[in-house]
């Protein structure tokens, strides 16, 4: 039997990618400036609005998945930030307290979506901030909308993404449910069951680092004397944990 080259290529890529299957970066979706319509899909665990914690501001690193806040493991950045905070409080040192605040883990929210007009690209994962999260939960709990993710009786959401022209300000996401409920998909769009089955397990999307790796990232950040410079990089675009470019931090800042 001939070797399956396609499978070997996937294995090699997965290995280079730190053991993660490839193709995951392309599942992340980022809104474009202006209006778009999305449909949030239900997930197997019954919770399509998932919350995760990341550390931003650790040098030029993209958001670092926090093993402590997410999974109850160890996190050198959390430990360091807590220590810094205590020192700041004890010594009434605002600079220390601010540095600690910068390093605390921040929340980011994730949902599987079908982007209207791009249904053929399949299910994507949309990352958003606290304001959008609370707005979405509000719809679900509002009897006028109910379960907006229901494939038969759910509701599409209009998402308006505004990118400000002025440096230092952050993009803004506004949501508006459609006036009428609609089906997730009809036969003209896709096989609905296939779509539902293809919803990725969000827990597996992140590049989880070992405690040692996180310690190394923290050490290298602390040993660089450019921490003042890094702290001003809040206005730069941050990358998603798995490498796809996103304004995760910028969006987070705009919504908190
Ligand atoms: Zn942490």
């Amino acid at each position: 039997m001939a070797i399956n080259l396609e499978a070997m290529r996937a294995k090699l890529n997965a290995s280079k990618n730190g053991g993660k299957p490839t193709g995951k970066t392309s599942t992340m979706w980022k809104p474009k400036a202006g209006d778009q319509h999305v449909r949030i899909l239900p997930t197997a665990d019954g919770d399509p609005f998932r919350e995760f914690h990341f550390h931003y501001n650790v040098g030029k690193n993209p958001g670092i998945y926090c093993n402590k806040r997410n999974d109850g493991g160890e996190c050198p950045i959390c430990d360091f930030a807590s220590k810094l905070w205590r020192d700041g409080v004890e010594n009434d040192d605002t600079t220390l307290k601010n540095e600690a605040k910068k390093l605390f883990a921040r929340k980011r929210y994730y949902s599987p979506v079908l982007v209207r007009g791009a249904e053929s690209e399949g299910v994507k994962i949309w990352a958003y901030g606290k304001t959008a999260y609370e707005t979405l939960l509000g719809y679900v709990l509002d009897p006028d909308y109910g379960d907006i993710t229901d494939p038969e009786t759910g509701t599409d959401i209009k998402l308006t993404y505004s990118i400000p022209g002025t440096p230092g300000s952050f993009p803004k996401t506004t949501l508006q449910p459609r006036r009428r409920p609609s089906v997730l998909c009809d036969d003209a769009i896709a096989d609905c069951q296939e779509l539902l089955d293809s919803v990725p397990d969000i827990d597996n999307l992140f590049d989880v680092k070992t405690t040692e790796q996180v310690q190394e990232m923290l050490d290298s950040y602390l040993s660089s004397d450019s921490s003042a410079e890094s702290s001003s990089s809040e206005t730069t675009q941050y990358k998603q944990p798995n490498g796809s470019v996103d304004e995760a931090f910028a969006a987070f800042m705009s919504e908190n």
Side-chain angles (χ1 to χ4, degrees):
M1 188 176 160
I3 197 162
N4 181 339
L5 280 181
E6 213 37 61
M8 296 307 114
R9 202 167 286 127
K11 275 154 69 85
L12 177 61
N13 285 336
S15 177
K16 283 181 177 169
N17 212 16
K20 298 265 165 188
T22 53
K24 281 181 173 170
T25 50
S26 64
T27 63
M28 294 304 296
W29 176 74
K30 184 171 164 289
K32 295 185 178 72
D35 292 346
Q36 44 245 292
H37 292 95
V38 298
R39 175 62 163 257
I40 300 177
L41 287 92
T43 52
D45 66 359
D47 181 6
F49 311 101
R50 299 293 308 279
E51 177 183 320
F52 292 93
H53 297 80
F54 299 92
H55 293 284
Y56 298 96
N57 298 320
V58 184
K60 301 263 181 272
N61 291 301
I64 300 169
Y65 183 90
C66 176
N67 289 322
K68 187 176 199 167
R69 299 294 295 277
N70 290 313
D71 303 315
E74 285 180 49
C75 178
I77 303 172
C78 278
D79 295 349
F80 177 75
S82 301
K83 187 180 170 299
L84 213 53
W85 177 258
R86 282 195 303 270
D87 287 355
V89 171
E90 277 166 23
N91 300 303
D92 198 21
D93 185 330
T94 311
T95 311
L96 282 186
K97 284 197 275 190
N98 285 342
E99 181 70 16
K101 272 193 217 166
K102 256 174 51 192
L103 292 176
F104 284 143
R106 288 159 200 261
K107 289 177 192 164
R108 190 95 182 123
Y109 305 87
Y110 293 80
S111 291
V113 291
L114 195 61
V115 181
R116 293 303 186 196
E119 284 94 344
S120 62
E121 291 174 26
V123 177
K124 302 281 179 185
I125 299 295
W126 168 42
Y128 49 93
K130 191 180 175 197
T131 305
Y133 175 69
E134 290 177 353
T135 303
L136 291 167
L137 291 182
Y139 296 149
V140 172
L141 298 172
D142 179 346
D144 280 353
Y145 298 107
D147 181 2
I148 53 172
T149 72
D150 188 281
E152 298 301 324
T153 61
T155 309
D156 286 4
I157 306 282
K158 181 167 97 173
L159 189 164
T160 308
Y161 192 65
S162 354
I163 300 171
T166 38
S169 25
F170 300 108
K172 196 168 158 39
T173 300
T174 23
L175 304 175
Q176 172 76 53
R178 297 302 296 261
R179 235 173 106 76
R180 292 187 178 78
S182 59
V183 294
L184 165 66
C185 60
D186 53 35
D187 296 342
I189 296 175
D191 182 325
C192 200
Q193 193 53 50
E194 223 167 75
L195 267 183
L196 290 169
D197 291 343
S198 73
V199 171
D201 184 355
I202 299 177
D203 287 295
N204 292 334
L205 286 176
F206 306 108
D207 181 12
V208 179
K209 304 264 187 259
T210 64
T211 306
E212 290 72 30
Q213 286 171 320
V214 175
Q215 184 70 55
E216 257 169 49
M217 292 162 108
L218 177 65
D219 288 347
S220 113
Y221 164 64
L222 294 175
S223 65
S224 69
D225 45 12
S226 63
S227 60
E229 188 189 313
S230 313
S231 65
S232 68
S233 64
E234 283 177 12
T235 51
T236 62
Q237 290 198 343
Y238 275 75
K239 287 183 166 188
Q240 280 303 99
N242 59 5
S244 71
V245 176
D246 193 358
E247 289 142 347
F249 185 72
F252 164 80
M253 290 300 289
S254 73
E255 292 172 3
N256 281 275

